[in-house]
Amino acid sequence: MCLIVLLVLASFVSYQQSSIPLEEQLDAIFECDRFKVTIPHHGGYAASIFGKGILRLQRQKSDSTYLVCYKDAIDKRKLEFTIDEKEYCKFKDLFLRLIDIHNPSKKLSGNCLTIDHNYILEATKHTLVIKPDKGQTESNCLINWIYNKELNN
């Protein structure tokens, strides 16, 4: 009996989490001092997940800057740079753009020519999965932002 009650409570909490609008979930994650974004890369031969990028963001204690670390499994890329509050707001806007093209029923479906991505944001007690429509040009806005940062640093 106790097990049934626990299962019902767990499913209710899970349902409540998913019923919260994505924008509010994003706000909760961005209020944390640190969070991680996992970007699975799907495509290539046999269209499977063949690597992932991991971006970590941490608020610096001394001022309103943020340390961004990015590591990518495809080309062994490692980046580390800081952004200010203005750039942090632009960074958050990228996720709002991804939420605008979010397709909850999307399945990863890359091929040899096109790599597909989902974005999994994780902070303490918060997880958000954004599944942008692959056909939209905005679906790679975060990846493009990272590459632009690499070129400008």
Side-chain angles (χ1 to χ4, degrees):
M1 181 65 176
C2 230
L3 181 60
I4 293 172
V5 171
L6 286 175
L7 288 173
V8 169
L9 284 174
S11 65
F12 177 72
V13 169
S14 174
Y15 173 74
Q16 277 190 324
Q17 175 92 9
S18 65
S19 66
I20 299 172
L22 295 178
E23 291 83 358
E24 289 181 25
Q25 292 179 50
L26 183 68
D27 287 341
I29 289 172
F30 269 79
E31 287 172 5
C32 297
D33 285 340
R34 65 174 64 185
F35 61 89
K36 175 175 91 168
V37 181
T38 303
I39 310 165
H41 305 300
H42 190 274
Y45 181 74
S48 59
I49 293 176
F50 61 91
K52 64 183 173 182
I54 296 177
L55 184 143
R56 296 180 191 277
L57 188 131
Q58 180 175 348
R59 184 184 322 266
Q60 299 296 302
K61 293 180 183 180
S62 60
D63 58 301
S64 61
T65 60
Y66 303 84
L67 177 65
V68 179
C69 301
Y70 179 71
K71 185 170 63 171
D72 196 300
I74 295 176
D75 53 10
K76 306 297 184 220
R77 177 182 316 232
K78 289 183 180 180
L79 301 173
E80 190 171 298
F81 54 91
T82 57
I83 59 174
D84 59 15
E85 192 70 37
K86 183 179 175 184
E87 191 69 25
Y88 182 75
C89 291
K90 289 180 185 176
F91 180 69
K92 183 178 179 184
D93 286 343
L94 295 173
F95 290 101
L96 290 171
R97 288 165 45 191
L98 290 169
I99 286 173
D100 284 343
I101 58 171
H102 174 70
N103 178 356
S105 61
K106 172 191 154 188
K107 303 267 190 268
L108 283 171
S109 63
N111 57 38
C112 290
L113 301 174
T114 307
I115 297 173
D116 195 6
H117 308 282
N118 282 346
Y119 301 92
I120 305 161
L121 290 85
E122 298 173 279
T124 306
K125 299 181 183 178
H126 301 286
T127 300
L128 171 62
V129 178
I130 303 174
K131 301 176 177 184
D133 244 342
K134 181 174 69 170
Q136 304 289 327
T137 56
E138 293 292 313
S139 66
N140 286 321
C141 65
L142 179 63
I143 301 290
N144 294 338
W145 181 83
I146 293 167
Y147 291 154
N148 283 335
K149 287 293 173 191
E150 179 182 34
L151 293 174
N152 295 326
N153 284 334

